[in-house]
Amino acid sequence: FFFFNDTATTEIYTLSLHDALPIYICENGALVKYQGKTLSKTYMDRKTGLEIMEDIQKRDGCEVLLSGEETSYLVPKSREYLDHIKNFVGNNVTLVKDFSEVEEEFLKISVYEKRGIEYSSNYFHDKWGGSVKDTVSGACWMDFVALGVDKGSALQKIQNELKTTKDDTMCFGDSYNDLDMFKNSQYSYAMTSANSEIRAKAKYVTTTVESILYDVYQVLSR
């Protein structure tokens, strides 16, 4: 039995109560790591990625976050945004003068809009939705990854690696980028803080992850 807990940038896998073996689904499924090795890595087309980031930078009120394997790349418009990513989100940050300087391939591109991503989500979806997979991932965030990449397909890769199925999987999530993960989990939980559409897609709703895991602990300890 294993569970996935959405922690903003990763989901954490635990095999049993006695042996914690972490699996990380990162960047909306573009990167999957297990016991220190990479199970899968799916990059965006570099030319398309650069065009998306240029578009984001030109739009008023929007900032870019480019995700690599070990760091986030920024060309911040404001000091406030830099502080937000480093000190509130807690990302490892690398500053560059231009995103074309980044040598590694692009895993995920995110747009941040402080006033709310609803002001720009339709614009970006209409313009780029046919070239990449776009997902609203929070009140102020929208993510872009390669077509075919999502947390659900990443979860399937893990299930195949461990020779298990959705019937043995529990997951927790609170945003649109978790919906594909819900589909591949028998026990899908939305957080009560999620909006009504997210809650409706999950089989169950919970206020805290810990309360559900305590119940699981009680069952497995019998």
Side-chain angles (χ1 to χ4, degrees):
F1 179 83
F2 61 95
F3 74 93
F4 282 78
N5 174 28
D6 180 22
T7 59
T9 59
T10 68
E11 289 69 57
I12 300 174
Y13 161 86
T14 300
L15 179 62
S16 74
L17 297 175
H18 306 291
D19 302 301
L21 303 176
I23 291 182
Y24 299 100
I25 297 179
C26 311
E27 316 308 345
N28 287 2
L31 177 66
V32 182
K33 289 194 168 186
Y34 174 44
Q35 293 184 312
K37 71 175 182 178
T38 299
L39 288 185
S40 69
K41 191 161 30 176
T42 308
Y43 301 121
M44 298 177 62
D45 174 73
R46 186 178 182 87
K47 180 176 181 295
T48 302
L50 289 171
E51 290 173 352
I52 291 172
M53 289 187 286
E54 182 181 6
D55 191 29
I56 295 170
Q57 288 178 302
K58 289 179 178 177
R59 190 164 175 86
D60 288 343
C62 292
E63 294 267 13
V64 180
L65 187 148
L66 170 61
S67 297
E69 187 164 351
E70 301 293 340
T71 189
S72 299
Y73 298 95
L74 298 182
V75 183
K77 295 179 181 178
S78 68
R79 179 71 194 186
E80 180 184 13
Y81 175 62
L82 175 60
D83 289 341
H84 178 74
I85 299 301
K86 289 181 65 175
N87 302 318
F88 179 76
V89 179
N91 282 18
N92 180 32
V93 169
T94 299
L95 295 178
V96 293
K97 292 181 179 179
D98 190 276
F99 289 111
S100 61
E101 297 177 7
V102 177
E103 295 183 357
E104 71 170 304
E105 300 294 337
F106 305 160
L107 288 169
K108 184 182 73 176
I109 293 168
S110 301
V111 51
Y112 172 80
E113 188 167 12
K114 182 179 178 180
R115 63 175 180 168
I117 197 61
E118 69 269 17
Y119 291 97
S120 297
S121 56
N122 287 339
Y123 167 80
F124 288 119
H125 173 74
D126 292 343
K127 188 166 184 179
W128 299 108
S131 303
V132 293
K133 180 177 176 62
D134 62 281
T135 310
V136 171
S137 56
C140 300
W141 291 96
M142 187 173 191
D143 298 333
F144 307 93
V145 292
L147 291 173
V149 171
D150 57 62
K151 292 183 180 182
S153 58
L155 180 53
Q156 273 193 317
K157 292 176 183 177
I158 293 169
Q159 290 165 339
N160 293 339
E161 176 78 10
L162 300 176
K163 296 180 173 55
T164 188
T165 69
K166 64 179 292 184
D167 293 335
D168 300 314
T169 306
M170 176 183 290
C171 72
F172 301 83
D174 61 2
S175 194
Y176 289 97
N177 59 353
D178 297 315
L179 294 182
D180 292 302
M181 187 171 63
F182 286 176
K183 297 174 185 177
N184 286 323
S185 301
Q186 180 63 28
Y187 308 96
S188 57
Y189 284 83
M191 309 309 294
T192 53
S193 57
N195 69 38
S196 58
E197 186 176 355
I198 304 300
R199 296 196 304 270
K201 297 291 185 180
K203 290 186 178 180
Y204 310 99
V205 176
T206 184
T207 302
T208 64
V209 174
E210 291 81 5
S211 63
I212 303 303
L213 297 186
Y214 178 78
D215 291 341
V216 173
Y217 175 84
Q218 294 298 313
V219 171
L220 296 183
S221 298
R222 292 174 184 170

